Amino acid sequence: MAVPLFGEVNQLGGVYVNGRPLPNEVRLQIVELAQLGIRPCQISRQLRVSHGCVSKILTRYYETGSIFPGAIGGSKPRVTTPEVVSYIRKLKKNDPAIFAWEIRERLLTDGLCDKHNIPSVSSISRILRNKPRPLAVCLNRHFFYGTSKTSTLLHHPLCLYPYSSDTHYLASNYSTLPTKTDRSVEIVSPHAMSALLGPQLSRSEHERNIISSGQDSYNKYMYFNCPLPV
DNA sequence: GTCGTTACGGTTGAG
DNA sequence: AACTCAACCGTAACG
């Protein structure tokens, strides 16, 4: 079982880090014990996790099917979704003289946005000013550096996330599908992801390509050597 | 004794 | 580059 390298001790003698999610291993244990029919109060005592926390994790699991914590930090979901951004660029390409406020009106009349999610004129201007970013950069690269900045990134076994601009990819030891509520991850369709990454490797192929492994205070990671897609 | 709920002090990260 | 602030965290305590 993963033991945090730092933290405080709760009334039950368990170690926790204030403000940070419990380790994924502990979250998984809570769910597994519950599935064996162990009562939440006993899980709480056995794993030395407060019953409020056990209750919350199990409730979340029953509602969403995920053992993972929610996305911490960041801002509200962007109104400038990839679809909206590409539409803005398309309008500008077709009519280079078009004004940002005209684009804004087109987004409404063409049905891409409504009054609740329409980007501001300044947002549209910024989009037109900025270069298009490669998809990979939108993914949360902080995952690799922080001591515990892991909670906002979810993983799918078939998805390897490009790391910076070098040739390394990473897969975590726990996997789940990214959800629409996970604001730190660009939602990518399987088709788009395979187009981005090229052919997926099998698990054993990945294992042969492990170049290093690491861990922070909670989780273990494995770094894979894969060719970058072009 | 059990467990749902919430105030609290804390961390995080996109904008 | 530093800052903001709304999202989330687990604990402790209440009922």
Side-chain angles (χ1 to χ4, degrees):
Chain A
M1 171 177 143
V3 178
L5 304 178
F6 55 92
E8 300 161 59
V9 178
N10 64 24
Q11 290 176 336
L12 300 169
V15 178
Y16 71 101
V17 182
N18 198 5
R20 302 299 302 137
L22 283 178
N24 290 338
E25 284 183 46
V26 176
R27 310 178 80 88
L28 189 59
Q29 278 184 300
I30 289 171
V31 169
E32 285 174 345
L33 289 173
Q35 285 172 337
L36 291 174
I38 313 281
R39 300 180 65 184
C41 59
Q42 200 187 329
I43 296 172
S44 169
R45 287 191 291 264
Q46 183 176 330
L47 299 181
R48 305 187 181 206
V49 172
S50 68
H51 91 262
C53 181
V54 171
S55 171
K56 185 174 169 180
I57 287 172
L58 287 177
T59 300
R60 186 200 295 270
Y61 177 72
Y62 296 140
E63 286 177 356
T64 69
S66 170
I67 67 160
F68 293 90
I72 301 174
S75 301
K76 287 185 174 180
R78 294 160 58 119
V79 293
T80 50
T81 61
E83 292 76 23
V84 171
V85 170
S86 66
Y87 196 74
I88 290 170
R89 292 211 170 96
K90 192 177 100 182
L91 291 175
K92 186 68 176 178
K93 189 182 175 189
N94 292 346
D95 179 8
I98 194 171
F99 290 112
W101 64 266
E102 291 176 305
I103 292 176
R104 191 166 188 269
E105 289 190 347
R106 285 287 301 276
L107 289 172
L108 282 174
T109 55
D110 295 355
L112 265 87
C113 303
D114 58 39
K115 61 180 179 181
H116 300 295
N117 62 6
I118 180 81
S120 64
V121 170
S122 61
S123 287
I124 294 170
S125 301
R126 188 179 58 243
I127 289 165
L128 295 175
R129 204 167 53 237
N130 293 343
K131 283 183 178 177
R133 291 192 302 167
L135 189 58
V137 176
C138 299
L139 301 171
N140 183 354
R141 289 191 288 114
H142 290 295
F143 185 77
F144 304 96
Y145 294 113
T147 54
S148 57
K149 294 176 180 175
T150 59
S151 64
T152 57
L153 187 57
L154 305 179
H155 297 275
H156 183 268
L158 293 178
C159 293
L160 294 176
Y161 295 102
Y163 170 38
S164 187
S165 58
D166 60 24
T167 59
H168 300 160
Y169 289 84
L170 177 145
S172 84
N173 51 341
Y174 288 108
S175 301
T176 187
L177 278 169
T179 67
K180 287 186 177 179
T181 56
D182 182 0
R183 288 177 286 99
S184 68
V185 175
E186 194 88 356
I187 302 303
V188 180
S189 70
H191 178 75
M193 182 58 91
S194 60
L196 180 73
L197 295 181
Q200 298 292 343
L201 300 176
S202 70
R203 183 173 291 272
S204 61
E205 285 172 317
H206 282 312
E207 286 171 359
R208 283 201 296 275
N209 280 307
I210 294 173
I211 55 171
S212 68
S213 60
Q215 71 178 83
D216 63 20
S217 52
Y218 281 157
N219 296 309
K220 293 178 181 173
Y221 312 122
M222 290 177 289
Y223 294 84
F224 295 88
N225 197 1
C226 303
L228 268 180
V230 280

